[in-house]
Amino acid sequence: MTAPRPLLPHLRTRLPLLGGSDRKIAEVVLRQPQDVVFWSVRELADAAGTAKSSVVRFCQGSGLRGFHDLKLILAQETALARESDPLAHDPAGDVLGAVVRAGAETLRDAAATVQRSAFDATAGLLARADAVLVVGGGGSGPLAQDAAQRLRVIGVRAAAPADAPGQHVAAALLSRGDACLAISHRGATAGTLEAVAAAADAGAATAAITSFAGSPLTGLADHVLVAGARAASPRLAALTSRLAHVAVLDALLVAVALRDERRAAAALARADAALAAHRR
Amino acid sequence: MTAPRPLLPHLRTRLPLLGGSDRKIAEVVLRQPQDVVFWSVRELADAAGTAKSSVVRFCQGSGLRGFHDLKLILAQETALARESDPLAHDPAGDVLGAVVRAGAETLRDAAATVQRSAFDATAGLLARADAVLVVGGGGSGPLAQDAAQRLRVIGVRAAAPADAPGQHVAAALLSRGDACLAISHRGATAGTLEAVAAAADAGAATAAITSFAGSPLTGLADHVLVAGARAASPRLAALTSRLAHVAVLDALLVAVALRDERRAAAALARADAALAAHRR
């Protein structure tokens, strides 16, 4: 086994899956990666409140040969990421530039943490489905609306009822051959889980875009795309996950369109003609 | 006058403002920047169907000393952008990676094309407003919903009626001290223009996020944030503008939150407590 690279985004998305001393060590590593670069095994063990042997096991469990490799990887990744959190140093300065740089970092992470096999399976599912139901609540609600509208524009029959009861009903009425795509930052929104469970009961295939592995949602959906756990600056935490989800949706749309380019082109032309009537 | 750098994104956003031979030359430059690097003045003039003197005037009008400088800048910018359109070479390959790389490019452009003065003015407007109305139609509709929800979560009273008549009515009922934020890719959606005009008539301040300079919308709004005109690959064209708009909205939210951190923190805490009731 070798360590997934970049390591920090993987560690972030897998945090909910870790228990005991692994979790404590991962939390310290994620909180102070720049510091850990200069620490001894003992110092990391102390900071995490664990034994030195736990640190060694943590490194091996992460696919590394040992603590020295962890420090090397952290040195590389923190050097790359150093530019991404200038808000902390320059709160009144170039907010636009800072947020946009953090966004670009987030996208790089998204490409690293989404499993290609789950991505391909989800794209195939959406391309083949007779109908697609997109569900999401709270902050993910507008993203679900957006995804459904953009799927329609490339020729996929998609809908996204705005409210949880409406989503639940629509999910219960799906059939084999249909698909349900859920979007959820934490993967724990009750209404979204209810809809995915109802979709599965109805025989539909299910997929999810979410920020963390190991949530109730990841246990429920057939295919799970994990992206967006990065939160370089606490001030940017609420923003970065949605940008990653938008980018993953963008990529899914391109992948679905490429699977039937003629259908996508025909739908785009009809959508464009309809929109033209609303332009001045 | 010196040329804005990077040049290509600026050229893209200003395209609708250009007339006659300038427009024809700009279209060729934007369509085949890699080729123009190796062309003579004569070849560019022929490709655009203009005179050689028009090419020279175009370069000077772009803030360059001449054609040679244009070729140098295009060589730099196309080298940087080369990675961003691998879909053209690898249609069945790494769609996720390709879209995400194109997205990161788009964000870099967004930071370059948005005027800092307009950004600061818009952030100030949203932070101070008694109430904010967000409007947008078609593909920008869900973005408007999203923006309003996220403004509410940081303590700004914001609303985004989903339909054009509802947006028009809400705009007409605004007062001095209120603000209207419009989102529109082309800046020509009739319902959106109607709402912005009604908001201005009602005495509210207006701002817009859009992909092109020189649209009806940019003529109407007090402050205009232009980002997202990049379309490296035609296949990605429909996607990149919305990612830029999401990133600009992200940056606006951070800027608004930073102007009243206590209000933002209090609202976030209340929103989080409400959301917690819907989590499993």
Side-chain angles (χ1 to χ4, degrees):
Chain A
M1 180 188 174
T2 53
R5 305 287 170 82
L7 180 67
L8 286 169
H10 280 275
L11 220 48
R12 248 177 245 119
T13 59
R14 289 182 47 79
L15 198 57
L17 298 176
L18 299 176
S21 52
D22 277 350
R23 174 104 170 224
K24 291 181 201 161
I25 296 165
E27 282 172 349
V28 173
V29 168
L30 287 170
R31 200 167 53 233
Q32 318 174 244
Q34 282 102 334
D35 299 330
V36 174
V37 168
F38 300 101
W39 286 357
S40 64
V41 177
R42 152 78 38 226
E43 285 172 306
L44 178 51
D46 285 352
T50 68
K52 277 166 63 178
S53 57
S54 301
V55 171
V56 175
R57 268 200 309 278
F58 169 82
C59 294
Q60 288 163 350
S62 302
L64 302 164
R65 276 172 306 171
F67 184 64
H68 186 65
D69 281 8
L70 176 68
K71 299 209 316 178
L72 281 177
I73 289 182
L74 292 181
Q76 288 173 341
E77 295 187 12
T78 55
L80 285 172
R82 201 160 298 150
E83 277 210 320
S84 77
D85 188 17
L87 274 187
H89 316 288
D90 182 21
D94 180 16
V95 173
L96 177 67
V99 171
V100 160
R101 276 194 296 277
E105 285 278 323
T106 301
L107 297 195
R108 209 181 54 181
D109 285 0
T113 59
V114 170
Q115 273 196 307
R116 289 306 191 276
S117 55
F119 179 83
D120 290 340
T122 303
L125 205 63
L126 299 177
R128 279 190 320 270
D130 297 323
V132 174
L133 174 69
V134 192
V135 299
S140 298
L143 287 192
Q145 309 283 316
D146 190 37
Q149 177 162 258
R150 291 156 74 201
L151 280 166
R152 284 195 295 272
V153 166
I154 58 167
V156 177
R157 287 186 191 279
D163 63 318
Q167 293 173 21
H168 193 170
V169 168
L173 294 171
L174 292 175
S175 305
R176 200 164 297 278
D178 294 336
C180 176
L181 173 66
I183 307 173
S184 177
H185 175 49
R186 292 179 190 240
T189 305
T192 303
L193 294 170
E194 208 162 45
V196 173
D201 282 350
T206 58
I209 299 175
T210 186
S211 302
F212 302 98
S215 67
L217 180 58
T218 58
L220 212 53
D222 300 329
H223 310 288
V224 181
L225 311 180
V226 182
R230 166 176 283 264
S233 162
R235 284 172 179 158
L236 301 181
L239 308 172
T240 49
S241 79
R242 76 186 316 99
L243 204 63
H245 294 184
V246 170
V248 170
L249 279 168
D250 284 353
L252 277 176
L253 286 161
V254 172
V256 169
L258 287 174
R259 273 160 207 255
D260 193 342
E261 295 197 57
R262 197 175 301 185
R263 175 176 73 168
L268 275 168
R270 290 169 69 183
D272 225 42
L275 269 180
H278 299 270
R279 271 187 212 125
R280 258 194 218 147
Chain B
M1 179 188 173
T2 53
R5 306 287 170 84
L7 181 68
L8 286 170
H10 280 274
L11 219 50
R12 251 176 244 120
T13 60
R14 289 181 47 79
L15 197 58
L17 297 177
L18 300 177
S21 52
D22 276 351
R23 176 104 169 225
K24 291 182 201 159
I25 295 164
E27 281 172 348
V28 173
V29 169
L30 287 170
R31 201 167 52 230
Q32 317 175 244
Q34 282 102 332
D35 299 329
V36 174
V37 167
F38 299 102
W39 285 358
S40 64
V41 177
R42 152 80 34 227
E43 285 171 305
L44 177 50
D46 286 351
T50 68
K52 277 165 63 177
S53 56
S54 301
V55 171
V56 175
R57 268 200 307 279
F58 169 83
C59 293
Q60 288 163 351
S62 302
L64 302 164
R65 277 172 305 172
F67 184 65
H68 186 64
D69 280 10
L70 176 68
K71 299 211 312 179
L72 282 178
I73 289 182
L74 292 181
Q76 288 173 340
E77 296 188 11
T78 55
L80 285 171
R82 201 160 297 150
E83 278 210 322
S84 78
D85 189 19
L87 273 187
H89 315 289
D90 183 20
D94 180 15
V95 172
L96 177 67
V99 172
V100 160
R101 276 193 297 277
E105 285 278 322
T106 301
L107 297 194
R108 209 182 55 182
D109 285 358
T113 59
V114 170
Q115 274 195 308
R116 290 306 192 274
S117 55
F119 179 82
D120 289 341
T122 303
L125 206 63
L126 299 176
R128 280 190 319 270
D130 297 323
V132 174
L133 174 69
V134 192
V135 299
S140 297
L143 288 192
Q145 310 283 316
D146 190 37
Q149 177 161 258
R150 292 156 74 200
L151 281 166
R152 286 196 294 272
V153 166
I154 57 168
V156 177
R157 286 187 192 278
D163 62 320
Q167 292 175 20
H168 194 172
V169 167
L173 293 172
L174 291 177
S175 306
R176 202 165 294 279
D178 294 336
C180 176
L181 173 66
I183 308 173
S184 177
H185 174 49
R186 292 179 190 240
T189 305
T192 303
L193 294 169
E194 208 163 45
V196 173
D201 283 349
T206 59
I209 299 175
T210 186
S211 302
F212 303 98
S215 67
L217 181 59
T218 59
L220 213 53
D222 300 329
H223 309 289
V224 181
L225 311 180
V226 181
R230 167 177 283 266
S233 161
R235 283 171 179 159
L236 300 182
L239 309 171
T240 49
S241 78
R242 76 189 313 103
L243 203 63
H245 294 184
V246 169
V248 170
L249 279 168
D250 284 353
L252 277 175
L253 287 161
V254 172
V256 170
L258 287 174
R259 274 160 206 255
D260 193 343
E261 295 198 56
R262 198 174 303 182
R263 175 175 75 168
L268 275 168
R270 290 169 69 183
D272 225 41
L275 269 180
H278 299 270
R279 273 189 211 123
R280 261 194 215 146

